[in-house]
């Protein structure tokens, strides 16, 4: 059996206690970092959900305004007579006009 001095023993025990405390501090730091990452991810998910709701609302508003604009355009076209079949026939006649200047092919 080998004997060591009490001062050596106390130094070794102190060093072991310091290593144990360092290990506890490292585990605590790791847990704190994990908790912070989890908090940041949760916050990002909440923000994403908020943005998704905002985008959905804006898309619904855009669709409603597009429907309203289409309805108003149809009412305007009807009021000024732009939806009559005779107008379409006139457009076809305009394309076949004989006095229409022809594009020069080069």
């Amino acid at each position: 059996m080998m004997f060591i001095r009490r001062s050596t023993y106390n130094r070794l025990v102190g060093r072991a206690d310091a290593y144990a405390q360092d290990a506890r501090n490292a585990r605590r730091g790791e847990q704190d970092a994990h908790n912070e990452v989890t908090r940041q991810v949760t916050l990002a998910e909440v923000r994403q959900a908020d943005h998704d709701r905002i985008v959905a609302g804006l898309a619904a508003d855009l669709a409603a305004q597009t429907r309203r604009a289409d309805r108003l355009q149809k009412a305007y076209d009807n009021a000024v007579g732009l939806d009559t079949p005779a107008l379409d026939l006139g457009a076809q006649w305009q394309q076949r006009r004989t006095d229409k200047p022809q594009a020069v092919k080069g």
Side-chain angles (χ1 to χ4, degrees):
M1 191 185 223
M2 184 174 179
F3 294 101
I4 61 172
R5 289 185 210 136
R6 181 168 298 280
S7 62
T8 304
Y9 172 78
N10 287 337
R11 192 170 7 104
L12 292 174
V13 168
R15 193 178 297 168
D17 288 343
Y19 290 150
Q21 184 62 40
D22 288 346
R24 285 191 295 271
N25 290 341
R27 281 192 296 275
R28 188 176 309 118
E30 181 182 349
Q31 186 62 41
D32 290 346
H34 179 269
N35 291 343
E36 179 62 20
V37 168
T38 302
R39 188 183 75 76
Q40 290 292 332
V41 167
T42 303
L43 183 59
E45 289 170 348
V46 168
R47 287 180 180 159
Q48 181 65 45
D50 289 345
H51 293 162
D52 290 346
R53 275 193 298 278
I54 290 169
V55 168
L58 291 173
D61 291 347
L62 176 63
Q65 291 301 324
T66 301
R67 286 190 304 272
R68 181 176 180 272
D70 290 346
R71 188 177 67 248
L72 290 173
Q73 185 66 48
K74 285 181 183 180
Y76 174 77
D77 290 350
N78 186 37
V80 296
L82 293 177
D83 59 351
T84 62
L87 191 63
D88 290 334
L89 293 174
Q92 291 173 5
W93 173 82
Q94 289 288 333
Q95 292 172 358
R96 296 187 313 266
R97 279 185 9 205
T98 56
D99 63 331
K100 184 177 180 181
Q102 300 294 323
V104 178
K105 295 181 182 177

